[in-house]
Structure formats: C-alpha cells, structure tokens
C-alpha cells in the first residue's frame, strides 16, 4: 500500500510527537516531519516547554485526513497499514487487540497525568530555570509508584504489558518514561521494580525508539 503523503507536524522532543514517530518507525512507513517550532538564538527553548506542557502539539495528515491525538494517530497507522513493518504491534486478533486497548486506556487515563507532571518537574523545569515543586513531585511519584506496582505484577508473568509481544501498549509509555528515567530521582521509580526495570530496558532498546531519541538529541536548542 502506498504511504505517500504521511505528514507529521511537531517536534521530536514533544512526548506526543515522539509517540507517533516511534509508531511510524515500527511500521516502517515513509513520512515527512514538519517541525513547527522556529528557533531564534535568544529563544532556545521550544514553545511547548515554555508553556509547561511536555506533550507539545502533534498534527498528523494523510491525504485529506487530519488527526491531532497521538494515540489515535498510532491506532490509525496500525489499522490503515496492517501489513507494513511490525504486524503484531496492534494485535492480530480481536482478543489481542482488546488487551492492547485496555492498556492503552490505562496509560492515557492513569499513567499519563502523573508521569507528565514528573516529566515537567524533573526534565523541563530545570530548562526554565525553575525550582522543581517538591510537593508535586512527591504526590505524583506516589501515584506513579502505585501504577508501576501493578505493572510489575503483570510483567512478572508476561514479557510485555499485553502479552509476550511488544505492542502499542508498551510503545505508548516510552516518551514520558524516557524523560523521567533521565533524572536520577525518576530512574529509581523504574529500577526499583525488577520486572518494570527489565521491561523498560527492553522497550527503550528498540531501534524505533533509539531513532526517535537520536532525532530529539539532534534537534538544536531543545536540551543543550
């Protein structure tokens, strides 16, 4: 199937853009990335960091279709191009897909809010010369700890969240987790749980994610 005309508008350092890029690389699809932030020498930080929003904005276009939710974009890519790249990433049957969907919703509804707050406090606040809010960090660490305890129990039985294959359920956790783990305090949240630590090492070592991190690091001015 032709993949002409896949366009992503945004910036790789944004967690939502990173989620979409990882899915595109997993599906081995050709796409065009249009970076929407303009950099000036005196304003090195991207706008989305100044707005204190780690997710930034992502817009995806395919022909006359436009989608702005990163998880919806990933679902669209997997259903639109089932035979390309990683064919198992969204499940191969209705039961597998239902399990993946359950985890995608858990990530969006329960993991995303505390982890986004920690991304801002631990990774972005220092870029803005802001003192991290210790009370907010403690509150959201506690919420994330509770989630990761549940994950650890699941991952004691499964290689990955929805079974023994890497899927969108795992991929969707990568962007926020990456920024959290980049700080010593955040890293402990993941390394203190044996099965979560193994899982994170496995998912963050995938070539698709490494390519996104490379793009994040190459982008001038984001985290210099």
């Amino acid at each position: 199937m032709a993949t002409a005309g896949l366009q992503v508008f945004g910036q790789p350092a944004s967690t939502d853009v990173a989620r979409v890029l990882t899915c595109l690389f997993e599906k081995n699809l050709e796409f065009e990335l249009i970076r929407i932030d303009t950099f000036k020498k005196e304003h090195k930080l991207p706008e989305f960091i100044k707005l204190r929003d780690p997710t930034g904005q992502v817009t995806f276009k395919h022909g006359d279709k436009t989608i702005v939710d990163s998880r919806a974009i990933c679902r669209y890519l997997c259903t639109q191009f089932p035979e390309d790249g990683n064919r198992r990433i969204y499940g191969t049957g209705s039961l597998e897909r239902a399990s993946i969907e359950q985890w995608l919703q858990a990530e969006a509804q329960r993991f995303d809010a505390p982890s986004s707050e920690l991304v801002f406090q631990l990774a972005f606040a220092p870029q803005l010369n802001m003192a991290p809010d210790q009370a907010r960090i403690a509150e959201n660490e506690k919420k994330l700890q509770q989630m990761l305890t549940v994950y650890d129990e699941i991952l004691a039985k499964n290689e990955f969240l929805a079974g023994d294959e890497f899927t969108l359920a795992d991929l969707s956790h990568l962007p926020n987790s990456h920024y959290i783990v980049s700080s010593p305090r955040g890293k402990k949240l993941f390394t203190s749980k044996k099965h979560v630590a193994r899982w994170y090492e496995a998912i963050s070592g995938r070539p698709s994610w490494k390519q996104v991190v490379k793009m994040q690091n190459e982008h001038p001015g984001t985290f210099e």
Side-chain angles (χ1 to χ4, degrees), residues 37-121:
D37 250 9
T38 53
F39 283 85
K40 296 174 185 164
K41 281 187 180 173
E42 67 274 20
H43 298 298
K44 280 202 161 187
L45 285 176
E47 195 61 31
F48 70 87
I49 295 181
K50 291 182 198 159
L51 295 172
R52 307 188 189 183
D53 176 16
T55 61
Q57 188 184 359
V58 62
T59 302
F60 170 81
K61 289 188 177 180
H62 180 211
D64 56 3
K65 191 167 188 71
T66 301
I67 314 173
V68 294
D69 176 84
S70 64
R71 295 166 189 82
I73 295 166
C74 291
R75 290 182 180 101
Y76 174 83
L77 290 168
C78 292
T79 49
Q80 194 73 10
F81 305 103
E83 300 301 315
D84 291 86
N86 185 340
R87 297 180 185 190
R88 304 187 70 92
I89 199 164
Y90 198 30
T92 51
S94 54
L95 275 177
E96 276 181 34
R97 186 160 296 185
S99 177
I100 294 164
E101 272 301 331
Q102 205 174 354
W103 281 105
L104 273 175
Q105 286 175 33
E107 184 273 326
Q109 292 164 16
R110 297 180 60 202
F111 182 90
D112 187 62
S115 62
S116 289
E117 183 64 36
L118 289 174
V119 170
F120 177 73
Q121 296 293 341

Side-chain angles (χ1 to χ4, degrees), residues 162-216:
D164 289 327
E165 298 273 352
F166 174 82
T167 67
L168 281 186
D170 310 288
L171 182 156
S172 203
H173 288 80
L174 272 166
N176 281 9
S177 301
H178 169 74
Y179 280 126
I180 293 170
V181 168
S182 69
S183 79
R185 181 166 180 172
K187 191 170 188 176
K188 284 180 193 162
L189 287 166
F190 286 78
T191 56
S192 64
K193 299 190 187 304
K194 177 184 169 187
H195 305 292
V196 167
R198 173 203 45 84
W199 167 73
Y200 181 72
E201 191 175 341
I203 67 175
S204 61
R206 291 186 73 82
S208 58
W209 179 247
K210 285 183 169 179
Q211 183 67 25
V212 173
V213 172
K214 185 168 175 255
M215 290 171 80
Q216 290 178 338

Side-chain angles (χ1 to χ4, degrees), residues 3-7 24 29-32 60-62 77 81:
T3 60
L6 298 185
Q7 293 180 308
L24 283 160
L29 295 168
E30 286 184 20
F31 65 94
E32 183 184 7
F60 170 81
K61 289 188 177 180
H62 180 211
L77 290 168
F81 305 103

